[in-house]
Each structure stands twice: as structure tokens, then as C-alpha cells.
Amino acid sequence: MPFNEFSFNSYSEIFQLYGNSIRVCDYKKYKKGIVVRHDIDWDIKKAYEFSLFEKSIGVSSTYYVMITSEIYNIFSLKNSKMLKKMMENDFELGLHFDPMLYINRKKSLSYYFHKEIEIFEIFFEQKILSYSMHQPSVHGQYLKTDLIDAYSDDIFSDECYISDSCFNFRGKDPIKFLSKSKECLMQFLTHPSQWSKLGIKSYNEFVNYKISNFKDDLYKVYEFNYEFQKQKNIKINNLNL
């Protein structure tokens, strides 16, 4: 199975073999199956496209969004429409919380966490049932709350958790590893930006995709600016990422 390609076909083969996919908010109702989770670190559009693919193959999953992302805005018209459609399609949306923004603040980390929850719920008119911390292995920050934690001991250990972070499964073969879902709960974390119909092999491919989409979005923002339209064949020179 060519997981180095991170293709939709590779992804769907898992669920053809093992079937039962579970949203994080529902995992306590089950004793076996694959708890499917996606952290949206880069791009709402890619996550939305991935959710449509998952819907087409009958996969249930949870998408975690960041209120404090430096790359996307969940409250923009375009992004919020996609996120609302994902909820209508019965995907769970949860909070992807980055504690690094609140280091050395006067109030507790829990205070800012619940403020982010409140902001999301007011805007989307939808309750948040679960959350995931952003890069906890880097900063070592965890929270204990009444909400379901994607890093709960029930579904997060070396024996029951696999992630595609950095295009690397850390020596675990997804097909072999997730076969245990026939007997117990397993958690499968993916980042939608790393998957495509043909398969993405590196961040270089995705960064170029992101730049191309940003250019299209920028042109859309300025579509009624006549001076911008006259000059819109803007070239990005000496771009070296």
C-alpha cells in the first residue's frame, strides 16, 4: 500500500478493510473501531474537500479547527460556509487549542480555553464536544476539562494511536497497525493538507498549492478594485521556501 503517496485511494483502503469509523465525541459508545481525527493546521478548503471524500466512502470523523491560526480565518465568509457544511454533513467540529498564545498571561490556561470555546459556539451556533491540543509534544501543555480530550488515555498511547505528522508514521505501518481496531479502539490522526487524489509526497507540493490558492483568494478580494485589476499580473520574484 503506497502510503508514501498519501492518496485518497490509500486512505479509503483502510476503511474498506476495517470498516467502523468513529467521531471523537462518540468514542465512549464503542469498544472497537477507528477513532478518526483531523487537525486543521493549514487549510480549511483542503479539510472541506477531504470531508467530502470521506462522506463519499462513508467515513465518520472529527475535524479540529484553530481560532488563533495565523494561516486561516474560520470566521471568514468562505471558510465559515465550508465549516457549516461539514457540520451539516454530520462531521464533528472541535477546537484545536494552541496554548502557546497564552503563556505568561495573568489568567489560567483553562480560562482562555473556555473563552475560545465560547467564541466558536456563539458564531457557529453549535456546541463543541471535544478538543485537541496543538503540538503538545513540543510545549508539553495539557488540560483537564469536562470536554472529551483527543489525547485521553483511552485513545492515546503508543499501542492505539497513529499519526501522519510530518509525512511520517514513525515506523508504524497503517494497515497492519489499524488491524487491531477489530478488537479495540484505535485513533488515526491525519492532516488533510497532506492528502490528495493523486497523492502528496512533500511539503513542497502543498506549499505551492497553498500559494496558488492564496493568489486566487487575493484576486477575489480585490475583484472590484480597478487599479488592482489593471496590475493583477503580479509576479512573485525570488521566492525561495
Side-chain angles (χ1 to χ4, degrees):
M1 182 175 181
F3 260 97
N4 61 317
E5 294 181 358
F6 288 82
S7 69
F8 284 6
N9 283 339
S10 295
Y11 186 84
S12 65
E13 189 171 335
I14 291 173
F15 300 98
Q16 291 170 9
L17 289 169
Y18 306 128
N20 200 21
S21 59
I22 302 165
R23 302 182 305 177
V24 174
C25 65
D26 298 324
Y27 89 83
K28 293 184 179 181
K29 302 175 185 177
Y30 297 85
K31 293 184 177 179
K32 58 185 179 180
I34 304 174
V35 180
V36 187
R37 162 189 158 201
H38 311 291
D39 289 350
I40 307 178
D41 290 345
W42 281 73
D43 190 273
I44 298 292
K45 183 181 178 183
K46 287 284 287 184
Y48 176 67
E49 291 171 350
F50 199 70
S51 76
L52 293 178
F53 163 67
E54 283 190 310
K55 182 182 178 183
S56 74
I57 61 172
V59 170
S60 297
S61 67
T62 298
Y63 287 80
Y64 289 107
V65 298
M66 298 181 72
I67 285 181
T68 57
S69 172
E70 295 185 18
I71 302 175
Y72 62 77
N73 175 14
I74 66 171
F75 304 114
S76 72
L77 180 61
K78 181 184 70 172
N79 286 340
S80 63
K81 280 184 176 180
M82 288 187 284
L83 291 172
K84 288 176 181 177
K85 184 63 178 178
M86 289 163 69
M87 288 188 282
E88 289 173 8
N89 287 336
D90 206 30
F91 291 97
E92 179 193 4
L93 287 191
L95 179 67
H96 196 36
F97 182 67
D98 185 0
M100 296 304 291
L101 278 80
Y102 306 109
I103 299 299
N104 299 322
R105 295 288 189 98
K106 291 182 179 180
K107 296 187 178 180
S108 69
L109 193 59
S110 178
Y111 171 84
Y112 297 107
F113 171 81
H114 284 97
K115 281 299 179 184
E116 287 198 15
I117 295 286
E118 181 182 1
I119 291 167
F120 178 96
E121 291 181 345
I122 289 172
F123 184 84
F124 286 99
E125 300 178 315
Q126 179 78 27
K127 296 290 289 183
I128 281 184
L129 302 176
S130 71
Y131 67 98
S132 72
M133 301 295 281
H134 180 57
Q135 297 181 332
S137 62
V138 175
H139 50 67
Q141 298 282 337
Y142 293 88
L143 277 171
K144 293 295 182 183
T145 78
D146 293 334
L147 299 177
I148 296 172
D149 182 1
Y151 287 101
S152 168
D153 291 342
D154 297 340
I155 51 173
F156 180 72
S157 71
D158 195 51
E159 290 72 37
C160 68
Y161 171 83
I162 186 170
S163 167
D164 69 352
S165 295
C166 304
F167 291 93
N168 190 334
F169 289 104
R170 307 297 191 275
K172 296 175 180 177
D173 176 83
I175 287 289
K176 193 173 185 179
F177 187 78
L178 291 169
S179 66
K180 291 184 285 184
S181 66
K182 291 184 175 181
E183 302 171 358
C184 61
L185 284 172
M186 308 291 290
Q187 182 180 172
F188 186 27
L189 165 62
T190 76
H191 298 78
S193 60
Q194 296 178 186
W195 298 78
S196 71
K197 289 182 180 179
L198 299 178
I200 294 175
K201 296 182 180 179
S202 69
Y203 284 113
N204 183 60
E205 292 179 51
F206 177 68
V207 166
N208 278 283
Y209 162 87
K210 185 66 178 173
I211 291 172
S212 175
N213 274 271
F214 180 75
K215 183 185 75 172
D216 293 341
D217 290 344
L218 192 62
Y219 286 177
K220 183 69 175 176
V221 168
Y222 284 97
E223 65 179 330
F224 300 114
N225 184 310
Y226 67 89
E227 193 61 35
F228 181 89
Q229 289 301 316
K230 285 196 298 185
Q231 304 175 28
K232 76 174 184 177
N233 292 321
I234 298 168
K235 297 186 182 300
I236 302 174
N237 296 318
N238 301 317
L239 182 61
N240 184 16
L241 298 176

